[in-house]
Amino acid sequence: MNVTLQRKIQKVLETKLDSKELSESLNDLSGFYTENSIASRRNLRNDIERRYLDINKQFYQQFEMLNKSIEELVDDFNEIKSSCNDICQHLSSTSKGSLELLSKSQVLSNELKEIDHQDIMIKDFHDKFILSEETLESLHQKKEIDQQFYQTLERLSEIQKQCKINLQNNQYLKSTYEILQQINDHQEKAYRKLYSWILEEFKNTLSKELPEISPKGPLPTALKALDLRPRLLKLCLHDISEYRYKTISNGFITALSLGGPNGVPRPIEINAHDPLRYLGDMLAWIHQSLASEYELLSLLLKDITTKVPLSDDIKEDEPDTEKIEPIFKVLNSTFESVNRPLSIRLDHILQSKPSIVVIYKIISVLDFYSRITKQITKNNESKVTAIIQSLKSKCLSLFFQMIKDQFDRLERQPTLPTSDLTPTFEIKDSVVKLNELIQTFNSSLIPVEEREREYTPVFTSIVQKLINLSTLSASASKLPLISISVFMINCLHSIEEILLKYSDFTKQNLELISAQLEVHIETLVDEQTSQILEQMGIGSKIRILTYADPKVPLSQLSGMDRQSIVQSIRQFDQSLEQSFGSLVMTDCDRLVNNKLKSTTKRSVSNLISTAYSSLYSAIQDPFNQYEDPISLFQYKPDQIKTMLL
Amino acid sequence: MSFPYEYIFKYIIIGDMGVGKSCLLHQFTENKFVPDSPHTIGVEFGTRIVDVNNKKIKLQIWDTAGQERFRAVTRSYYRGAAGALLVYDVTRRITYNHLTTWLTDARNLTNPNTVIMLIGNKKDLEGQRDVTYEEASAFAKQNGLIFVESSAKTGENVEEAFLRTAKLIFQSVQEGNVDLIPGGVSPQTNPTTNDPTTTTTKDNNCSC
């Protein structure tokens, strides 16, 4: 066997019949190997090879197409690449350019921010420092003064304030000065406008006797705005004063001479004959006007805090100028109007020579009104109070002058006491007047705590003069000492009686009087006692006893011998028995006051009893060498005392 | 321009000491009651604006001291009063008994159109009443007075007293009986008569 064949058979045998490839190949073969013929078998290889060729041809064709596509792709790609390169190049050049742009735009945006900021600042500044057309119109164009006007005015002063702060901080000096200048101009114009508006308002309201002012009305508001303009305020105050001066003056004169409508109420001057009524009515009118006027001004000027110089002559810039509240400034000038009419009328009253008591009543009325007018002005001194006080002090000095004249006259030729030793007519009369004066004082409106202070300076001199007058009368009389004492006691007591009724405030005077009284009472008691001892016979004995040399026994002294002692004692006992123990004390009996009478008498009796007692014990004393001294006396001192007291 | 008031009426309050004149004033002007308030020295003064027939009226009230020793001073305040409140204490007959004296004073010193109102005060002290309503009412009728009992302590009838008086004065003004108190000038009244004190006196300045 042929090796080739063998190998072929081997190969066939080795062929795995169940392989997939084989089945597929066979399957495929069955597609074109349709007929098992020799020719077919011979041609099989050819067929297969041809088929193989065909397939390769197909492959080739396909690949050629693919290659073509790939070539196209490559071309495309190359194109893209170059485009990309272009782009890249372009980009890099663009990027270079935009960097510059960016930095430029950064700068611009920063500038923009700055500008925005400045814009805000400027707006702010504008708002703060510059006034809008509309605002300015309200300030200068509009005729009426409205809320906006005041708001604008306030804005102006705020701007002004801000400007000043700027100036202090050395900021924006130039512009601030410019603005300040503008603001000042506006302000000046606005205030001028306000001022002339106020003047017009004044004309319409203030000439009425009782003008209507509403607390929230236009005038108080307008005046309040002037609080920052002292000069204009001063002018306004002056104008108010002038209007009110006229009104008050007219009102007062009308009330005085014409009275109310159709003469009701009747004119004050109808009572001119009755000084107190006349003066009282005038002062009451002033008091009532003051109350209304104070109320009016309080409403008008309530918001003004600036104080104004007291006097118009002084420049307000001077540092030490005394200043007062505007309301008092006006009130004072206004009520200057009543000064003259009132003073002249009071002068008339005084010229009619009213009695001293009436003058004092006038003083009391004036004092009352100076107090209540002060209450109206909340305890602030006002011109009204000052006017009334000056009238009061004028009357007071007249009063003092009258007192002085009267007493001077009386003292030049003092009336002598009469035999009953009661106060002289002049003294009695003066005491009656003193009583009336103190009564007036007591019924005045001087507060309790001030009474003593007010009383003392006015009345002490009167009381002193009364005492002096009594003393002068007594000393001119050339009466014996004891009568002088009685007279003085009677006079002093009549004064004391009056003062005692008002001991709340007359203490000082009472002390003076009672000290004087004591002296005179002591004199009276002493004198009366020695007189009576003399009459009863033991006077000389007591005198010897009082002045005797204590080293010499009494019985050896002349007039002190047993016999004369016995006689004296007898006489004493007899007088005492005859009077039934109540001795006649003619001088003490001339005391007007019963109480004083009985106390002085008692003191005299006491002294007599004491004198008897001392004589008794002296005689009993063995040193004085009286024999059987007990037999000398009928009565023991105790018994005498019992009889006398 | 709005006026706070169009008229001013002047009042006086009179009557014995301790009947509550000052308390009535304080109750009316300040709405408060001050027990044990001190005696009035001379005269005191208060104001209040009231509404009568839709007109604002300012009442200027002068409260006088009741003590006898101030009589000389207080009588100067009657002049020009449009209203007089005559007060007694319903618990003290003596203050009622003195009414005639007060009334005579008021009639003599005020003008004929002055409205006088009788007020029995201390109405709250019913237990201590000493004067009956009927008696005082009859007295008021006899003398042509308006009458009310009030209590300054509780405030009862206080407004009423002041307002009724104001209404009557206002009526009187409108009927033309009263030439207004100087200054209480009504805009409607004839300018030649409404303010005699300022219009008729210009020539009199020299008389001072």
Side-chain angles (χ1 to χ4, degrees):
Chain A
M1 204 187 328
N2 184 335
V3 177
T4 317
L5 187 62
Q6 204 182 352
R7 255 197 335 228
K8 273 192 182 171
I9 294 166
Q10 189 71 37
K11 207 176 172 184
V12 168
L13 288 172
E14 278 173 11
T15 307
K16 285 179 189 168
L17 291 173
D18 58 347
S19 89
K20 198 182 169 186
E21 279 166 17
L22 185 68
S23 72
E24 272 181 8
S25 311
L26 288 175
N27 242 343
D28 204 30
L29 187 66
S30 62
F32 57 89
Y33 190 76
T34 50
E35 190 184 349
N36 198 1
S37 65
I38 293 190
S40 311
R41 260 178 283 181
R42 276 181 200 154
N43 287 335
L44 180 58
R45 175 168 284 266
N46 274 343
D47 281 350
I48 288 172
E49 278 175 356
R50 201 178 53 235
R51 280 185 72 90
Y52 184 73
L53 206 69
D54 282 349
I55 287 170
N56 274 344
K57 255 186 199 164
Q58 270 176 18
F59 260 113
Y60 173 75
Q61 276 167 358
Q62 289 296 325
F63 272 113
E64 211 163 32
M65 273 165 67
L66 184 67
N67 192 27
K68 221 175 169 182
S69 295
I70 284 175
E71 269 171 8
E72 276 172 18
L73 202 64
V74 167
D75 283 352
D76 282 354
F77 180 76
N78 277 341
E79 232 171 282
I80 288 173
K81 194 181 164 187
S82 80
S83 292
C84 275
N85 273 341
D86 280 358
I87 289 171
C88 262
Q89 232 165 3
H90 193 71
L91 275 179
S92 80
S93 72
T94 312
S95 146
K96 255 185 224 160
S98 70
L99 255 181
E100 259 171 65
L101 207 62
L102 266 177
S103 71
K104 261 187 198 163
S105 79
Q106 186 65 43
V107 170
L108 284 177
S109 108
N110 281 347
E111 275 174 14
L112 186 64
K113 264 188 206 159
E114 182 69 17
I115 287 169
D116 277 350
H117 183 65
Q118 279 181 356
D119 185 43
I120 289 171
M121 292 260 284
I122 286 172
K123 261 193 195 140
D124 196 32
F125 176 84
H126 205 273
D127 285 349
K128 256 190 183 159
F129 292 100
I130 309 291
L131 293 171
S132 69
E133 283 300 315
E134 192 192 350
T135 334
L136 284 177
E137 193 195 346
S138 80
L139 208 55
H140 303 310
Q141 307 300 322
K142 272 197 217 165
K143 212 175 171 193
E144 73 273 28
I145 303 281
D146 54 9
Q147 202 52 38
Q148 210 188 350
F149 177 88
Y150 293 115
Q151 281 166 0
T152 312
L153 215 52
E154 211 165 300
R155 271 283 317 275
L156 286 176
S157 67
E158 267 166 34
I159 295 172
Q160 209 175 30
K161 223 184 275 172
Q162 191 57 46
C163 284
K164 279 177 185 159
I165 292 173
N166 286 352
L167 289 182
Q168 272 170 8
N169 298 337
N170 267 331
Q171 285 173 321
Y172 326 113
L173 290 181
K174 197 179 163 218
S175 50
T176 307
Y177 273 123
E178 275 170 18
I179 291 167
L180 209 50
Q181 186 59 45
Q182 272 181 18
I183 296 300
N184 287 346
D185 286 352
H186 285 313
Q187 258 185 346
E188 206 47 51
K189 271 190 213 157
Y191 276 118
R192 251 170 234 284
K193 179 178 161 193
L194 182 62
Y195 176 61
S196 38
W197 179 86
I198 288 175
L199 289 192
E200 198 55 36
E201 278 300 301
F202 279 173
K203 206 187 286 173
N204 296 333
T205 47
L206 291 185
S207 44
K208 295 178 186 160
E209 182 152 349
L210 289 173
E212 302 92 347
I213 300 290
S214 149
K216 287 190 180 125
L219 260 182
T221 319
L223 287 165
K224 185 196 172 193
L226 291 188
D227 211 1
L228 298 169
R229 273 287 190 276
R231 261 166 226 271
L232 286 179
L233 180 65
K234 199 175 127 186
L235 290 175
C236 284
L237 295 181
H238 182 76
D239 287 324
I240 300 176
S241 308
E242 278 204 336
Y243 278 110
R244 300 314 293 160
Y245 182 101
K246 268 186 215 150
T247 337
I248 296 290
S249 175
N250 286 341
F252 191 41
I253 299 299
T254 306
L256 282 168
S257 48
L258 293 176
N262 308 324
V264 179
R266 293 197 295 172
I268 293 173
E269 279 174 345
I270 256 186
N271 288 310
H273 60 279
D274 174 353
L276 290 168
R277 177 79 195 269
Y278 187 31
L279 181 66
D281 279 3
M282 285 192 279
L283 291 169
W285 189 94
I286 293 170
H287 176 215
Q288 291 187 307
S289 308
L290 180 67
S292 305
E293 212 57 19
Y294 184 74
E295 213 177 40
L296 167 75
L297 294 176
S298 301
L299 282 176
L300 208 54
L301 305 173
K302 69 190 160 67
D303 294 319
I304 293 177
T305 52
T306 321
K307 290 194 171 184
V308 291
L310 187 61
S311 157
D312 279 332
D313 313 330
I314 306 166
K315 281 182 188 149
E316 53 211 87
D317 324 321
E318 273 174 42
D320 297 330
T321 314
E322 202 181 331
K323 293 195 167 184
I324 54 166
E325 282 174 42
I327 180 163
F328 287 107
K329 171 94 176 167
V330 177
L331 214 52
N332 288 351
S333 339
T334 305
F335 276 89
E336 187 59 51
S337 63
V338 299
N339 193 355
R340 240 173 81 81
L342 178 66
S343 306
I344 286 173
R345 278 165 183 79
L346 182 62
D347 279 347
H348 283 163
I349 294 176
L350 297 179
Q351 276 160 23
S352 71
K353 301 233 181 295
S355 73
I356 195 148
V357 174
V358 171
I359 295 237
Y360 192 69
K361 283 186 175 160
I362 287 175
I363 291 170
S364 183
V365 168
L366 288 166
D367 180 81
F368 166 70
Y369 278 99
S370 82
R371 283 167 199 274
I372 60 171
T373 51
K374 206 171 164 188
Q375 280 167 19
I376 291 271
T377 52
K378 314 269 180 284
N379 273 335
N380 289 291
E381 279 302 334
S382 76
K383 183 75 190 181
V384 177
T385 315
I387 291 171
I388 297 175
Q389 264 165 358
S390 88
L391 292 178
K392 180 192 157 190
S393 54
K394 185 176 168 186
C395 291
L396 255 180
S397 49
L398 179 69
F399 172 76
F400 284 130
Q401 191 56 47
M402 280 175 82
I403 297 272
K404 190 175 172 295
D405 289 351
Q406 186 153 355
F407 278 102
D408 280 355
R409 193 164 40 79
L410 293 176
E411 282 171 9
R412 234 171 285 139
Q413 276 189 319
T415 320
L416 302 182
T418 48
S419 57
D420 59 359
L421 299 180
T422 54
T424 62
F425 171 77
E426 283 76 11
I427 293 173
K428 267 187 206 147
D429 185 51
S430 301
V431 169
V432 168
K433 276 181 188 149
L434 176 71
N435 187 25
E436 279 183 80
L437 294 177
I438 300 186
Q439 241 172 19
T440 308
F441 177 85
N442 188 47
S443 62
S444 73
L445 295 158
I446 300 167
V448 177
E449 62 275 11
E450 282 179 39
R451 294 211 155 184
E452 195 165 354
R453 200 172 60 227
E454 291 275 330
Y455 167 86
T456 309
V458 179
F459 286 88
T460 303
S461 69
I462 304 180
V463 170
Q464 187 59 58
K465 280 184 191 303
L466 258 172
I467 297 174
N468 292 350
L469 186 64
S470 311
T471 315
L472 281 171
S473 285
S475 53
S477 68
K478 310 239 166 31
L479 283 167
L481 183 59
I482 189 162
S483 302
I484 287 183
S485 308
V486 172
F487 175 71
M488 284 306 289
I489 294 169
N490 282 338
C491 290
L492 290 169
H493 181 73
S494 69
I495 305 170
E496 190 186 36
E497 241 180 339
I498 306 293
L499 299 180
L500 275 172
K501 285 193 281 184
Y502 309 102
S503 56
D504 289 345
F505 48 83
T506 57
K507 264 183 223 121
Q508 273 194 37
N509 289 173
L510 275 171
E511 270 171 35
L512 179 74
I513 296 273
S514 57
Q516 298 250 4
L517 262 176
E518 259 170 51
V519 173
H520 292 292
I521 289 174
E522 207 176 313
T523 315
L524 170 63
V525 169
D526 281 354
E527 289 293 309
Q528 187 80 88
T529 307
S530 47
Q531 236 180 48
I532 290 176
L533 286 175
E534 213 63 52
Q535 285 163 10
M536 293 175 91
I538 64 169
S540 58
K541 308 292 174 263
I542 299 288
R543 256 201 316 281
I544 295 169
L545 180 63
T546 314
Y547 300 109
D549 181 353
K551 286 168 211 147
V552 183
L554 280 178
S555 54
Q556 290 174 15
L557 299 174
S558 75
M560 288 301 275
D561 56 301
R562 187 184 166 89
Q563 191 52 42
S564 72
I565 297 280
V566 167
Q567 264 181 12
S568 299
I569 299 292
R570 281 284 168 278
Q571 195 188 338
F572 181 85
D573 291 349
Q574 270 172 12
S575 327
L576 196 60
E577 283 157 5
Q578 276 165 11
S579 68
F580 300 104
S582 60
L583 299 167
V584 179
M585 306 186 197
T586 45
D587 292 290
C588 287
D589 278 334
R590 284 194 283 184
L591 290 181
V592 175
N593 182 263
N594 284 328
K595 203 177 148 216
L596 273 178
K597 202 187 283 182
S598 63
T599 52
T600 46
K601 278 174 145 184
R602 204 178 167 79
S603 307
V604 172
S605 302
N606 242 328
L607 282 181
I608 291 171
S609 147
T610 313
Y612 181 84
S613 164
S614 61
L615 184 64
Y616 184 89
S617 27
I619 304 288
Q620 301 301 325
D621 190 347
F623 172 79
N624 287 324
Q625 297 173 359
Y626 288 100
E627 265 176 54
D628 189 14
I630 294 192
S631 67
L632 281 169
F633 292 93
Q634 193 186 343
Y635 299 110
K636 293 214 165 106
D638 285 353
Q639 290 170 307
I640 294 294
K641 195 173 178 183
T642 317
M643 277 192 273
L644 280 172
L645 301 173
Chain B
M1 188 160 157
S2 67
F3 292 111
Y5 50 84
E6 291 164 69
Y7 297 87
I8 290 187
F9 292 168
K10 200 168 105 178
Y11 279 25
I12 46 163
I13 313 180
I14 52 175
D16 271 12
M17 186 167 100
V19 297
K21 295 182 294 300
S22 300
C23 289
L24 283 169
L25 173 67
H26 288 142
Q27 181 62 258
F28 181 66
T29 56
E30 296 158 50
N31 276 323
K32 63 184 183 196
F33 176 71
V34 190
D36 304 320
S37 59
H39 290 309
T40 305
I41 305 287
V43 278
E44 274 173 16
F45 163 68
T47 56
R48 194 181 132 180
I49 294 172
V50 296
D51 211 277
V52 172
N53 298 355
N54 291 324
K55 295 263 187 281
K56 294 250 180 282
I57 292 176
K58 181 170 183 166
L59 302 184
Q60 191 184 68
I61 306 150
W62 293 88
D63 165 35
T64 64
Q67 276 168 286
E68 178 65 35
R69 64 186 179 116
F70 294 123
R71 205 64 80 82
V73 166
T74 54
R75 66 180 179 194
S76 294
Y77 290 80
Y78 288 61
R79 61 177 24 254
L85 307 186
L86 173 53
V87 190
Y88 70 95
D89 176 352
V90 298
T91 70
R92 284 191 294 144
R93 174 158 285 277
I94 182 90
T95 65
Y96 174 80
N97 293 343
H98 289 158
L99 287 177
T100 334
T101 325
W102 286 111
L103 195 58
T104 316
D105 245 16
R107 295 251 195 256
N108 287 342
L109 294 162
T110 60
N111 69 55
N113 291 305
T114 301
V115 175
I116 304 179
M117 171 158 227
L118 181 65
I119 300 177
N121 194 32
K122 307 199 186 172
K123 183 176 193 288
D124 52 294
L125 302 175
E126 195 52 54
Q128 299 166 40
R129 182 183 279 279
D130 208 7
V131 182
T132 64
Y133 181 86
E134 290 69 28
E135 186 184 356
S137 189
F139 173 84
K141 212 173 210 172
Q142 239 172 45
N143 291 284
L145 312 173
I146 37 170
F147 172 57
V148 74
E149 280 191 343
S150 71
S151 162
K153 188 173 178 180
T154 64
E156 188 183 351
N157 281 344
V158 175
E159 293 263 331
E160 156 99 9
F162 283 89
L163 289 181
R164 260 177 78 187
T165 312
K167 273 182 196 146
L168 281 169
I169 299 169
F170 186 71
Q171 210 177 314
S172 209
V173 169
Q174 293 209 311
E175 287 163 5
N177 291 336
V178 177
D179 270 320
L180 268 179
I181 316 100
V185 185
S186 109
Q188 297 96 329
T189 40
N190 180 355
T192 52
T193 56
N194 66 359
D195 201 354
T197 45
T198 49
T199 50
T200 50
T201 55
K202 288 196 176 107
D203 304 332
N204 286 343
N205 287 349
C206 51
S207 72
C208 58

